[in-house]
Amino acid sequence: MRTRGIIGALLKSFGPSEHGTRLVRKGRKLGRFVRHKFWLWVFLFAAIFLIYLLLFGLNVHLPAKLEGSGTSIRISARQQILPFHVVGRPPRSKRRKQYLPCEVGFLESVEYLVEPKEVMNFTQFSLEFIDQEGIPSHSNIYEPRFGGHQTLEEREQSFFAKNQTLHCGFIKGPPGFSSTGFDIDAKDKAYMNECKIAVSSCIFGSSDFLRRPTSKKISEYSKKNVCFVMFVDEQTLGKLSSEGHVPDDTGRIGLWKIVIVKNLPYEDMRRTGKVPKFLSHRLFPHSWYSIWLDSKMRLNTDPMLIIEYFLWRTKSEYAISNHYERHCVSEEVLQNKRLDKFNHTAIDEQFAFYQSDGLTKFDPSDPNTPLPSYVPEGSFIVRAHTPISNLFSCLWFNEVDRFTSRDQLSFAYTYLKLRRMNPDRPFYLSMFKDCERRALVKLFRHREEPSPPGPPPVI
């Protein structure tokens, strides 16, 4: 080798002395050492270069599925995604954006609050609910369902704001069949029947920690006149108790009145959570107003100030915030599929069904767009229990019962269809800014994410 030859030539210059012989032996050892070091560095540089090529120098290909197709194809990870035709997955953001609260002009105190007379000028009609179903004559296999067995024809008729009796959960089967779920103790039902204003949340399947409302931010008036109800199942109550959250003699943990729900109506905990979220007018049948907040939130604002600001001041009967990032349903479809929030085929079928029934792409430049966003941040809802507000809640729940539990996919379709089918019967829905929602509460992360459910129900 070249290194060995150079060292050998150098040693020969010393002559054949004993000292030279020792130098020759040392030179040979030095040559072997240098040679090993040389190849070690060569291998190290080659490995670094190969890693660099794999990370930055190749056009990576990922497997994906075409919408509505059961076969897999290969597409480039750099391929552009069409705006309203949902294919593949959206690119991941490199940096997590920061979303901050903004100033909200609440009144300084709940004293002297007076409900405005205009709240009685909303659309009026009679709304009743189906409580029990019989066995269809054409059905050989019948199983009672909490949401009932609504036909597509019944679904279509239910969108009319008129005197009607419709499906809206809590539906029992014929005599002799077991309960369809969401069973609540009679004493708790009696308590909820007395509520005129309700703040509610839920934790099912031990999916969250208990977030108590900030007591010092809640007025004495609200503490006496507002019902704060947290719905939990027995598993969650056991978990909370092990963490030191034990109900007192009145069944309360802080301001929360703990209401135990037995026989949950769905295996999917997310879908079960839509019952108290959407059907507060059924759980609190004599209430005038209700506020829903997700269990990942801690309420930091007085409920009466919230009602005054979001309903009375805007003359609205329903208030919900827009999503902090996404505004088109197609974007929400992509995000749900990218994060595997639900069965992809079920999401595609639901979205295709809505498109076929008139759902269009959200266009922020269109002055006639009825909403500032087609995707809500549905973790905080303020409602007056008016007929059309109750109807909208039933319709939205029925979509969640029929399709996927991802309620952000069905919000815009339900609202737009209700509006389209009742041009002379307005629904006063206010969509406020997400930064205002963040000013009302302190946000936390969920304890854990429930696993995605299986195949969807048949449409």
Side-chain angles (χ1 to χ4, degrees):
M1 300 298 294
R2 180 176 178 82
T3 305
R4 184 176 177 181
I6 294 173
I7 295 174
L10 180 62
L11 293 174
K12 284 182 179 180
S13 64
F14 288 99
S17 65
E18 181 181 354
H19 179 67
T21 304
R22 285 198 302 267
L23 286 178
V24 169
R25 288 197 296 269
K26 290 183 180 180
R28 290 173 180 174
K29 292 181 180 179
L30 179 61
R32 288 195 295 271
F33 175 80
V34 171
R35 191 164 59 252
H36 288 310
K37 279 287 186 179
F38 173 77
W39 287 113
L40 179 62
W41 280 105
V42 170
F43 175 80
L44 181 61
F45 279 118
I48 294 173
F49 181 71
L50 180 61
I51 292 172
Y52 177 85
L53 285 179
L54 290 175
L55 290 178
F56 305 104
L58 297 179
N59 187 15
V60 182
H61 287 74
L62 300 173
K65 288 189 176 182
L66 281 174
E67 180 181 2
S69 171
T71 59
S72 296
I73 60 170
R74 301 188 72 83
I75 60 172
S76 170
R78 298 178 181 178
Q79 179 177 341
Q80 296 296 318
I81 300 173
L82 297 178
F84 203 56
H85 182 61
V86 183
V87 179
R89 295 182 173 185
R92 293 179 181 269
S93 58
K94 294 183 179 180
R95 296 181 60 185
R96 188 178 183 87
K97 296 181 180 179
Q98 295 294 322
Y99 301 95
L100 302 174
C102 56
E103 191 71 25
V104 180
F106 290 122
L107 297 178
E108 294 183 359
S109 171
V110 301
E111 292 186 40
Y112 312 115
L113 277 181
V114 178
E115 184 179 40
K117 295 180 180 180
E118 291 87 344
V119 299
M120 300 305 295
N121 295 332
F122 297 127
T123 302
Q124 299 296 319
F125 55 92
S126 175
L127 202 62
E128 302 292 337
F129 311 110
I130 297 173
D131 293 325
Q132 193 170 43
E133 285 183 334
I135 301 177
S137 57
H138 61 276
S139 177
N140 295 326
I141 301 176
Y142 174 79
E143 180 182 355
R145 297 181 66 247
F146 180 81
H149 298 78
Q150 184 190 52
T151 66
L152 288 176
E153 182 179 354
E154 290 171 334
R155 174 184 179 274
E156 188 72 14
Q157 290 299 314
S158 68
F159 276 86
F160 287 104
K162 63 180 182 180
N163 297 343
Q164 62 167 311
T165 301
L166 78 160
H167 291 76
C168 193
F170 300 97
I171 297 176
K172 301 176 183 177
F177 283 85
S178 60
S179 167
T180 56
F182 217 87
D183 300 333
I184 296 174
D185 184 81
K187 291 183 180 180
D188 290 329
K189 283 187 178 181
Y191 170 79
M192 292 189 293
N193 284 341
E194 298 297 321
C195 297
K196 301 302 180 185
I197 301 172
V199 175
S200 63
S201 186
C202 74
I203 307 175
F204 297 128
S206 301
S207 58
D208 259 316
F209 298 97
L210 184 69
R211 320 289 184 186
R212 306 187 191 189
T214 306
S215 183
K216 64 181 180 180
K217 297 291 184 74
I218 311 298
S219 67
E220 290 301 318
Y221 176 88
S222 292
K223 290 177 182 178
K224 293 178 181 178
N225 295 280
V226 176
C227 297
F228 294 83
V229 176
M230 174 66 72
F231 296 96
V232 301
D233 58 342
E234 293 177 296
Q235 174 190 341
T236 298
L237 182 60
K239 181 69 173 178
L240 295 178
S241 298
S242 70
E243 296 172 341
H245 299 290
V246 180
D248 60 19
D249 294 338
T250 66
R252 288 177 171 79
I253 302 177
L255 290 178
W256 287 123
K257 168 71 173 177
I258 304 299
V259 173
I260 300 174
V261 179
K262 297 183 179 180
N263 188 22
L264 301 183
Y266 304 101
E267 293 183 5
D268 180 3
M269 294 295 103
R270 286 188 178 276
R271 202 188 299 266
T272 297
K274 309 309 177 188
V275 176
K277 178 174 181 176
F278 295 143
L279 305 184
S280 58
H281 61 289
R282 303 221 57 191
L283 290 165
F284 305 94
H286 300 107
S287 62
W288 303 328
Y289 300 97
S290 66
I291 297 173
W292 163 264
L293 70 152
D294 194 90
S295 55
K296 67 184 178 182
M297 298 177 171
R298 172 180 292 143
L299 185 64
N300 288 336
T301 311
D302 189 279
M304 296 308 302
L305 297 181
I306 292 172
I307 291 171
E308 187 279 332
Y309 182 83
F310 290 104
L311 297 183
W312 295 354
R313 200 180 300 187
T314 61
K315 299 180 180 180
S316 303
E317 52 195 319
Y318 199 104
I320 189 171
S321 71
N322 63 271
H323 196 273
Y324 50 87
E325 189 172 53
R326 296 180 292 280
H327 302 291
C328 191
V329 180
S330 62
E331 297 171 347
E332 187 64 22
V333 166
L334 286 171
Q335 183 72 357
N336 275 268
K337 292 169 68 175
R338 183 176 74 82
L339 299 179
D340 286 328
K341 292 292 187 179
F342 207 90
N343 179 284
H344 291 202
T345 301
I347 293 175
D348 290 338
E349 289 178 354
Q350 181 177 6
F351 185 52
F353 185 93
Y354 288 167
Q355 286 181 297
S356 69
D357 197 27
L359 178 64
T360 58
K361 180 181 178 182
F362 174 73
D363 184 2
S365 64
D366 184 358
N368 296 318
T369 299
L371 291 171
S373 173
Y374 281 0
V375 181
E377 190 8 283
S379 57
F380 197 91
I381 302 174
V382 189
R383 299 177 45 195
H385 288 192
T386 61
I388 200 165
S389 171
N390 293 343
L391 174 59
F392 174 74
S393 296
C394 290
L395 296 174
W396 196 4
F397 172 79
N398 289 340
E399 294 304 292
V400 168
D401 180 69
R402 179 180 293 272
F403 293 102
T404 72
S405 61
R406 309 305 299 177
D407 55 56
Q408 290 166 315
L409 300 178
S410 50
F411 166 78
Y413 168 83
T414 305
Y415 172 78
L416 295 172
K417 186 175 178 69
L418 176 64
R419 187 173 182 268
R420 185 175 73 244
M421 296 181 69
N422 301 277
D424 300 325
R425 315 208 81 178
F427 175 34
Y428 297 98
L429 183 147
S430 171
M431 181 170 267
F432 55 92
K433 297 178 181 178
D434 176 68
C435 64
E436 294 179 303
R437 176 186 68 95
R438 294 173 183 270
L440 309 174
V441 298
K442 180 174 176 59
L443 295 173
F444 298 87
R445 289 187 177 275
H446 290 295
R447 187 197 297 265
E448 62 183 20
E449 288 290 328
S451 57
V458 179
I459 298 175

